[in-house]
Amino acid sequence: MAELHTPRSLIVTLYGAYGRTRPGPFAVAELIRLLGAVGVDAPSVRSSVSRLKRRGLLVPGRTADGAAGYALSDDARQLLDDGDRRIFAGAPAELSDGWVLVVFSVPESERAKRHLLRSRLVRLGFGSAAPGVWIAPARLFDETRHTLRRLRLDPYADLFRGEHLGFTATAEAVGRWWDLAAIAKQHEEFLDRHEPVLRAWERREDTPARDAYRDYLPALDSWRRLPYADPGLPAALLPQGWPGGRSADVFTRLHARLRDPGEAFVGN
């Protein structure tokens, strides 16, 4: 799994969890306080905010009392709204839902865009069905369309919806299109990190705001990557003992216990 809990990732997670319903931007001092609670120092916060601003995800603004701060850009809000449909999707896709296919062709003179398109499809959770043909559960269509348009890659791609008709059994084909062992390992790593946290909270009767925030933000930061590595493939196509359901249950219970108490710490 990629390095967890980088300052930049935690800032995006913070905005996703608590920044979209705020009446104004987070002040820089607030960001330093909130990221400090999960072990990020002030220089790392400032440099990460600058990078996110350069990428067009954060825009500068002023809080109600005139302090310098940053709010989400429109593109960032769309990105996070799309992400919510993954992160809180609940049940995996049904086989009857079908598939979305991306077929693309990029001229040799624009190899950088070809690389960007491939890497972004991987990050969206697509599997590779054949050279230039990528596949994912059909419910990822809207997010895929938004992403390709935002990155101005839509002129190079066509999108299709359909079903797999053979000749290989679909469960066998899925094992070629995705590295299921690698995805299962990511679920197991999530469980190793966060199932003990859930068990500890289940032994507690109180839910202090700071403690809830300190445990919730890293759990959400870990979890929000998983539905991109694992696009929610139909259960009928997955190996016996697939750990995805268990890791989803752990996250759901942590979210229910910690998210709202953590907001009290963010608001203080």
Side-chain angles (χ1 to χ4, degrees):
M1 183 181 287
E3 181 187 358
L4 288 174
H5 310 320
T6 65
R8 211 179 324 175
S9 177
L10 285 165
I11 290 169
V12 172
T13 300
L14 170 64
Y15 274 91
Y18 301 116
R20 281 175 283 175
T21 57
R22 292 172 62 86
F26 277 114
V28 174
E30 284 184 279
L31 291 173
I32 289 171
R33 174 181 75 89
L34 293 170
L35 274 295
V38 290
V40 181
D41 60 34
S44 296
V45 173
R46 293 182 187 277
S47 64
S48 297
V49 165
S50 294
R51 291 191 188 99
L52 291 167
K53 178 186 172 185
R54 287 197 297 272
R55 288 180 55 194
L57 298 177
L58 295 181
V59 293
R62 293 281 172 180
T63 66
D65 60 4
Y70 289 89
L72 290 165
S73 68
D74 290 342
D75 279 350
R77 286 183 180 275
Q78 181 69 71
L79 194 67
L80 290 167
D81 289 347
D82 284 339
D84 280 357
R85 286 189 281 274
R86 296 270 195 124
I87 294 166
F88 305 107
E94 297 288 338
L95 190 54
S96 59
D97 295 342
W99 305 92
V100 59
L101 296 173
V102 178
V103 179
F104 68 83
S105 177
V106 182
E108 185 64 24
S109 59
E110 297 183 85
R111 278 181 291 176
K113 288 185 177 174
R114 183 188 305 152
H115 174 74
L116 177 60
L117 207 161
R118 285 174 177 161
S119 63
R120 191 51 55 119
L121 290 173
V122 170
R123 287 173 63 180
L124 286 168
F126 276 74
S128 178
V133 181
W134 295 73
I135 187 167
R139 67 183 181 183
L140 303 189
F141 166 72
D142 284 337
E143 183 179 4
T144 303
R145 179 168 52 87
H146 294 156
T147 299
L148 296 184
R149 281 184 171 166
R150 179 170 55 82
L151 296 174
R152 297 181 175 85
L153 295 169
D154 49 305
Y156 305 98
D158 287 297
L159 303 181
F160 301 87
R161 292 185 66 166
E163 56 183 313
H164 180 240
L165 299 176
F167 294 95
T168 306
T170 305
E172 182 181 338
V174 160
R176 295 199 314 265
W177 299 338
W178 282 273
D179 185 344
L180 296 180
I183 296 171
K185 182 179 179 182
Q186 292 189 46
H187 282 294
E188 289 159 0
E189 289 172 348
F190 178 87
L191 288 164
D192 288 344
R193 291 185 182 97
H194 298 290
E195 194 169 33
V197 176
L198 174 64
R199 299 292 173 243
W201 277 104
E202 289 178 335
R203 292 192 293 270
R204 295 181 66 163
E205 295 184 2
D206 62 337
T207 313
R210 182 187 177 93
D211 291 353
Y213 169 84
R214 185 198 60 215
D215 285 345
Y216 179 65
L217 197 71
L220 177 59
D221 193 54
S222 296
W223 175 256
R224 71 181 182 87
R225 305 157 190 265
L226 257 174
Y228 288 90
D230 179 351
L233 297 167
L237 303 179
L238 294 170
Q240 288 287 329
W242 184 254
R246 190 168 141 225
S247 65
D249 180 64
V250 166
F251 171 72
T252 298
R253 289 156 71 184
L254 282 169
H255 174 77
R257 176 72 181 265
L258 304 180
R259 191 271 172 201
D260 290 349
E263 188 170 29
F265 177 72
V266 173
N268 286 342

